[in-house]
Amino acid sequence: MILDKFNLAGKVAIVTGCSTGLGQGMAIALAEAGADIVGVDYVEATETAARVRGLGRRFLEIEADLLSIAPIPGIIEQAVTNFGKIDILVNNAGIIRRAEVLEFSEKDWDDVLNINLKTVFFFSQAAARQFIKQGTGGKIINIASMLSFQGGIRVPSYTASKSGVAGITRAMANELAPHGINVNAIAPGYMVTNNTAPLRADEKRYTEITARIPAGRWGQPADLQGAVVFLASAASDYVHGAILPVDGGWLAR
Ligand code: NAD
């Protein structure tokens, strides 16, 4: 029956950047749907751990700095040692740096591209190798952005990284689909998290953005929960390389 296809009981999901914001919301959604969670972050994920365990699911906390790809093999190994396998990877950890194009620094370029794009590619590669080794197939869900489609203002490295995320989502989907691996992305609109705090503090930009959202409000982490469970579940087995906007209609406008 169709609702059974959304059930994630017995699945193991790695969620990066799970301590707060969208990553926390998605980790909780996957746990509500039945999955055990491997939560990766460079800060403690105390609240997420408590909420996942409160749902009766297991939560393995791994502290790692994803600015570098060095921790990735160890994360996969710890997940498999503790939970026996992995089924789902959510590449959520990401950062943004704001400065005008004429002032933009090399560090703000490299840091953002490293975590938002390079780590996403190599984490997905490592997960895909593990899925193939297991012979199970698997689900990879990247977190794209409106700036996978648009240019943005004062965030050139973020735009480059998220446009790249859309590209590698499609590229990896093409090569991994024959292995029973689905690679897709969610493109959140303007969401209320730490990432957008400076934008929301700028009254002019906040008002302009809000007025352009057909739904008339910014998104909350809970708004991604349906999309992530869908893309993590058997309900999306024939969906490959899609970039699913969850944006209150922003792109439709
Ligand atoms: P956030 O800043 O609230 O959360 C980011 C998470 O990533 C945090 O848990 C943080 O600790 C973790 N993180 C940051 N640097 C890390 C590092 N070096 N190593 C490991 N973990 C690290 O932001 P958010 O809005 O929840 O962002 C989550 C994802 O969603 C990002 O990829 C972001 O680009 C994307 N996104 C956000 C919005 C939005 O409007 N908030 C819109 C589109 C896409």
Side-chain angles (χ1 to χ4, degrees):
M1 296 289 278
I2 181 59
L3 286 182
D4 297 332
K5 290 199 167 188
F6 289 85
N7 193 332
L8 300 180
K11 302 289 184 188
V12 176
I14 300 179
V15 181
T16 70
C18 68
S19 73
T20 182
L22 305 182
Q24 181 182 66
M26 290 188 285
I28 291 165
L30 296 170
E32 284 183 6
D36 292 320
I37 307 296
V38 179
V40 185
D41 211 302
Y42 72 153
V43 296
E44 275 187 51
T46 317
E47 190 187 319
T48 309
R51 291 186 63 182
V52 168
R53 290 182 184 132
L55 291 161
R57 310 290 171 235
R58 293 180 293 173
F59 185 86
L60 174 66
E61 180 161 1
I62 300 180
E63 273 190 51
D65 186 346
L66 296 175
L67 271 177
S68 143
I69 65 171
I72 293 171
I75 296 169
I76 303 273
E77 194 187 309
Q78 276 192 71
V80 173
T81 303
N82 281 270
F83 290 167
K85 59 167 184 164
I86 53 172
D87 301 292
I88 299 155
L89 168 65
V90 182
N91 281 306
N92 166 77
I95 59 172
I96 192 164
R97 298 275 169 78
R98 292 184 169 84
E100 288 175 18
V101 163
L102 295 178
E103 309 298 331
F104 213 77
S105 72
E106 185 177 359
K107 180 167 171 44
D108 284 346
W109 182 271
D110 287 344
D111 286 352
V112 172
L113 267 294
N114 279 338
I115 184 166
N116 289 16
L117 187 58
K118 183 176 177 182
T119 294
V120 170
F121 178 80
F122 285 101
F123 215 140
S124 301
Q125 180 194 63
R129 287 175 176 163
Q130 178 62 29
F131 296 151
I132 290 167
K133 195 165 140 192
Q134 293 170 185
T136 54
K139 303 278 180 177
I140 297 173
I141 302 159
N142 297 327
I143 305 306
S145 165
M146 295 298 95
L147 302 191
S148 301
F149 305 94
Q150 302 177 322
I153 298 170
R154 300 183 73 247
V155 288
S157 63
Y158 187 82
T159 304
S161 71
K162 294 298 184 178
S163 299
V165 164
I168 61 169
T169 298
R170 298 187 186 103
M172 297 187 94
N174 291 338
E175 289 191 40
L176 296 175
H179 296 282
I181 299 169
N182 301 79
V183 187
N184 291 292
I186 296 170
Y190 286 84
M191 315 294 284
V192 179
T193 67
N194 295 337
N195 173 297
T196 54
L199 207 51
R200 284 177 288 114
D202 179 339
E203 205 171 311
K204 184 170 173 287
R205 292 277 289 131
Y206 178 74
T207 309
E208 281 169 5
I209 289 167
T210 310
R212 197 193 174 285
I213 302 171
R217 66 170 177 90
W218 287 50
Q220 296 290 337
D223 288 310
L224 296 191
Q225 293 185 326
V228 76
V229 170
F230 169 61
L231 291 176
S233 74
S236 62
D237 276 355
Y238 198 58
V239 180
H240 293 276
I243 320 287
L244 174 60
V246 181
D247 64 352
W250 177 273
L251 287 180
R253 182 136 174 181

